[in-house]
Amino acid sequence: MISGTVCIVLVLANVAFLVLFVRGVLQSRQVYWVRRRIPFVAWPHLLFGNVRRLWRHEHSSTIGQRLYRDLKARRLAAGGFNLLVSPSILVADPDLAEEVLVGNVRRFPDRGLHVDAEVDPLSETLFALRGNRWKDKRNRLAPVFSEETLKPVFRMVASFADELRKEISINLDRRLQDVQEWVSRYVTQVMGKSVFGMRCRMMQDPNTDFRRYGRISTELSWLLLLKNWIGVTMPWIARKVGLRITDATVEKFYVDLCRSNVLVRESYKVKENDILQLFMRLREARQLTMEELTTACYSFVKHGMEPCTSVMTFCLYELAKNVSIQKRLRDEISHYLEDTDGQLTYDVIMSMNYLDQVVNETMRKYPPVDFIYRRSSQSRDNIPQGTLFVIPVYAFHHDPDHFPAPEKFDPERFTAKQARTRHPYCYLPFGAGPRECLGARFGLLVVKAGLVTLLRRFRFAMPEELVHEKLQFKPNASVLSPVEGSVRLRVEAI
């Protein structure tokens, strides 16, 4: 019989061995790029790599910018860095970005995200799918996002923008307006009705279940970060343990919501000019299953609500700071609406050149997705197969070699003449190549309809006490966003 003391010694020995083994693995990650003779950024932390302050104190955009500047100062097109304990490659040259996104798609086919249809059906978004399954689904969904199919949806979007205008008018007696809160309500209402077919009355009641579950689905936490990291770096473990990325309550809410609204429309022969109806047509043509339809709708919440809210909020913030730009844009809006007797149409909005420049400059200075990544499927130049290549979009957009005086808000950067002088892959608000954002046209439609509706009726101004205050980014946001409640502007009716 083994004594208690011996048992304790054996347990402690096993624990010590495990600790030493794990530490050895982590230390091997620290010297990963040294062994391969690949240039790398600063020496990585044992656990947090080169992103130690990530999502606690600092947003990923500014961390990526700092690493990017390190490589640029050494005139390197790329270099190694550790994303937590995962050795990755940071791209610092637009030519290499072009190769990763467009020129060598076979080597960089997808993002390498975890997808499990059985355990986590809502993980099968177009954003995460791989290989032939992604290609097949994109081909089936692409017609939904064409200009011709989205034109009929515009009237609904415009009506919600007008609801936003009315609600702000009622509340103009308040000293300052929380612009981000108003924009979030508008975008949520658009997504709720046009994508899920539900009237969520966000303007009157901002605490609806639709908004609450939408926030849960987009919030980042260390647990979610850990799950995503395991899914990306150790997919075999993720499959074995049945890793679920999507919150179970979020899945149930959106699955039930989608199924019930589809059933109502089918039972009562209801036809609407919205995204849900377009998906239902694909289902009737056997191009989509009910599960795929639900996932397609959910992807608008997961990957669409926050970017639209972010771009529109940042745009109004910059227009409040830059009065002359705001006036010029309002003059353009007035000019175009004179020809339609004040009627807002899809064609009119998409014809506004200066509006397009202003929105592009907003996405240049505040790209909603601050980095793009692709998983390498082949080994090359001492870089093993499976390595993650990261393109720091925010850093590209703030590089003075591409955009002089990058902190200045200047829509003139996006005249046709100016755009031709830049490398085409230094501006990447929607990515590029085969995996470029499919919903970009719809997102811009939502943003532009909201901006035009507000600017034709209101003047936005920066409070004197906030003029010199630097806007802070929310550290744990998956999309580049201001800290909640920080974009408070004076709003005056015109």
Side-chain angles (χ1 to χ4, degrees):
M1 177 177 280
I2 301 176
S3 68
T5 303
V6 174
C7 284
I8 292 173
V9 170
L10 289 174
V11 169
L12 291 176
N14 285 329
V15 170
F17 174 78
L18 180 61
V19 169
L20 290 173
F21 174 77
V22 171
R23 184 175 180 83
V25 171
L26 294 177
Q27 287 177 332
S28 72
R29 296 282 176 160
Q30 281 187 305
V31 297
Y32 188 89
W33 295 118
V34 175
R35 289 177 175 175
R36 285 164 176 76
R37 298 182 179 179
I38 300 289
F40 59 95
V41 297
W43 189 256
H45 184 272
L46 190 67
L47 289 176
F48 302 108
N50 298 108
V51 294
R52 188 171 183 176
R53 293 170 57 84
L54 180 66
W55 285 309
R56 291 181 300 165
H57 308 290
E58 193 173 1
H59 191 265
S60 56
S61 60
T62 50
I63 292 177
Q65 184 181 34
R66 189 161 54 250
L67 301 179
Y68 172 89
R69 286 174 173 172
D70 179 283
L71 296 176
K72 283 274 293 187
R74 293 151 62 190
R75 298 185 179 181
L76 295 171
F81 79 107
N82 279 18
L83 183 58
L84 300 180
V85 296
S86 298
S88 307
I89 292 291
L90 190 76
V91 176
D93 180 77
D95 286 330
L96 182 55
E98 180 178 7
E99 180 184 351
V100 170
L101 298 174
V102 181
N104 201 343
V105 175
R106 288 187 178 182
R107 186 186 171 198
F108 304 99
D110 51 55
R111 299 180 175 90
L113 295 174
H114 174 65
V115 176
D116 191 328
E118 293 184 9
V119 176
D120 189 1
L122 292 187
S123 68
E124 284 205 304
T125 62
L126 196 61
F127 186 84
L129 279 175
R130 308 178 189 182
N132 290 331
R133 294 184 66 196
W134 162 79
K135 187 175 182 180
D136 173 61
K137 194 168 185 178
R138 182 181 175 92
N139 289 338
R140 284 182 284 143
L141 290 177
V144 171
F145 299 96
S146 70
E147 189 172 49
E148 288 306 310
T149 53
L150 287 180
K151 276 187 178 182
V153 180
F154 175 78
R155 187 172 297 177
M156 179 182 292
V157 174
S159 70
F160 290 137
D162 200 52
E163 279 192 36
L164 172 63
R165 175 194 63 79
K166 292 175 182 176
E167 206 61 33
I168 291 179
S169 296
I170 295 171
N171 291 276
L172 274 182
D173 57 329
R174 297 182 183 177
R175 186 167 178 267
L176 295 178
Q177 298 290 331
D178 186 344
V179 171
Q180 186 179 10
E181 171 64 19
W182 284 120
V183 170
S184 178
R185 294 189 195 184
Y186 158 65
V187 173
T188 304
Q189 183 146 322
V190 169
M191 297 298 179
K193 184 65 176 74
S194 65
V195 180
F196 287 87
M198 65 173 295
R199 183 76 176 182
C200 50
R201 295 183 59 79
M202 274 299 305
M203 300 302 170
Q204 296 75 29
D205 181 13
N207 300 311
T208 62
D209 285 344
F210 187 82
R211 190 185 196 192
R212 180 163 64 88
Y213 284 111
R215 282 181 165 175
I216 294 172
S217 68
T218 56
E219 282 178 350
L220 278 179
S221 64
W222 275 108
L223 177 60
L224 185 59
L225 178 62
L226 178 62
K227 286 182 177 180
N228 278 306
W229 176 75
I230 292 172
V232 170
T233 60
M234 295 179 283
W236 62 94
I237 293 179
R239 286 192 296 269
K240 191 169 184 178
V241 302
L243 183 68
R244 168 189 280 275
I245 302 295
T246 311
D247 184 275
T249 60
V250 168
E251 180 187 315
K252 185 178 187 308
F253 175 78
Y254 286 111
V255 168
D256 290 348
L257 177 63
C258 210
R259 288 181 182 276
S260 62
N261 285 335
V262 168
L263 180 61
V264 167
R265 290 195 181 187
E266 289 178 343
S267 300
Y268 294 95
K269 309 297 182 185
V270 176
K271 303 287 185 183
E272 298 276 4
N273 287 322
D274 58 18
I275 302 294
L276 179 59
Q277 198 69 49
L278 295 172
F279 286 151
M280 287 177 64
R281 289 178 194 168
L282 291 179
R283 181 168 175 258
E284 290 167 6
R286 299 184 184 277
Q287 292 291 305
L288 285 181
T289 64
M290 188 64 219
E291 290 73 19
E292 289 175 322
L293 184 151
T294 303
T295 303
C297 291
Y298 173 70
S299 66
F300 277 83
V301 173
K302 181 74 173 174
H303 305 297
M305 283 206 312
E306 288 301 313
C308 289
T309 300
S310 170
V311 171
M312 195 169 161
T313 300
F314 282 127
C315 188
L316 290 171
Y317 169 81
E318 285 292 342
L319 291 174
K321 286 179 64 179
N322 298 275
V323 179
S324 60
I325 294 174
Q326 183 181 163
K327 182 180 183 303
R328 180 176 170 184
L329 178 55
R330 187 177 291 108
D331 289 344
E332 180 187 64
I333 292 168
S334 300
H335 172 74
Y336 273 88
L337 292 180
E338 281 179 5
D339 297 333
T340 62
D341 295 325
Q343 293 298 311
L344 202 57
T345 67
Y346 179 92
D347 290 330
V348 165
I349 278 192
M350 293 304 166
S351 299
M352 295 182 183
N353 291 327
Y354 196 63
L355 171 64
D356 197 54
Q357 291 175 219
V358 168
V359 172
N360 281 332
E361 174 65 352
T362 302
M363 293 189 293
R364 194 277 308 170
K365 191 172 180 182
Y366 308 100
V369 178
D370 61 282
F371 62 90
I372 302 168
Y373 49 94
R374 294 289 187 270
R375 177 75 63 192
S376 173
S377 63
Q378 303 169 14
S379 298
R380 179 175 157 186
D381 301 329
N382 287 334
I383 300 175
Q385 176 184 347
T387 300
L388 199 67
F389 279 64
V390 179
I391 300 169
V393 176
Y394 181 89
F396 272 41
H397 288 191
H398 286 76
D399 187 335
D401 289 342
H402 306 311
F403 299 97
E407 297 307 315
K408 180 182 178 183
F409 187 80
D410 182 11
E412 293 302 309
R413 302 180 200 272
F414 289 93
T415 61
K417 181 179 179 180
Q418 285 294 320
R420 285 195 295 269
T421 65
R422 288 191 298 271
H423 194 292
Y425 290 89
C426 68
Y427 178 64
L428 300 164
F430 299 112
R435 283 188 171 268
E436 186 173 8
C437 179
L438 191 60
R441 184 179 279 114
F442 178 70
L444 289 174
L445 173 65
V446 173
V447 169
K448 289 181 177 181
L451 288 172
V452 169
T453 301
L454 294 183
L455 289 168
R456 67 189 293 203
R457 300 300 184 194
F458 302 112
R459 186 176 291 108
F460 294 84
M462 182 67 62
E464 291 181 10
E465 62 270 25
L466 300 179
V467 168
H468 301 295
E469 237 181 67
K470 187 176 180 181
L471 195 62
Q472 299 297 315
F473 300 144
K474 187 177 177 181
N476 63 336
S478 57
V479 167
L480 188 67
S481 307
V483 172
E484 290 180 3
S486 62
V487 183
R488 293 184 174 273
L489 305 177
R490 297 187 188 280
V491 183
E492 175 189 343
I494 296 176

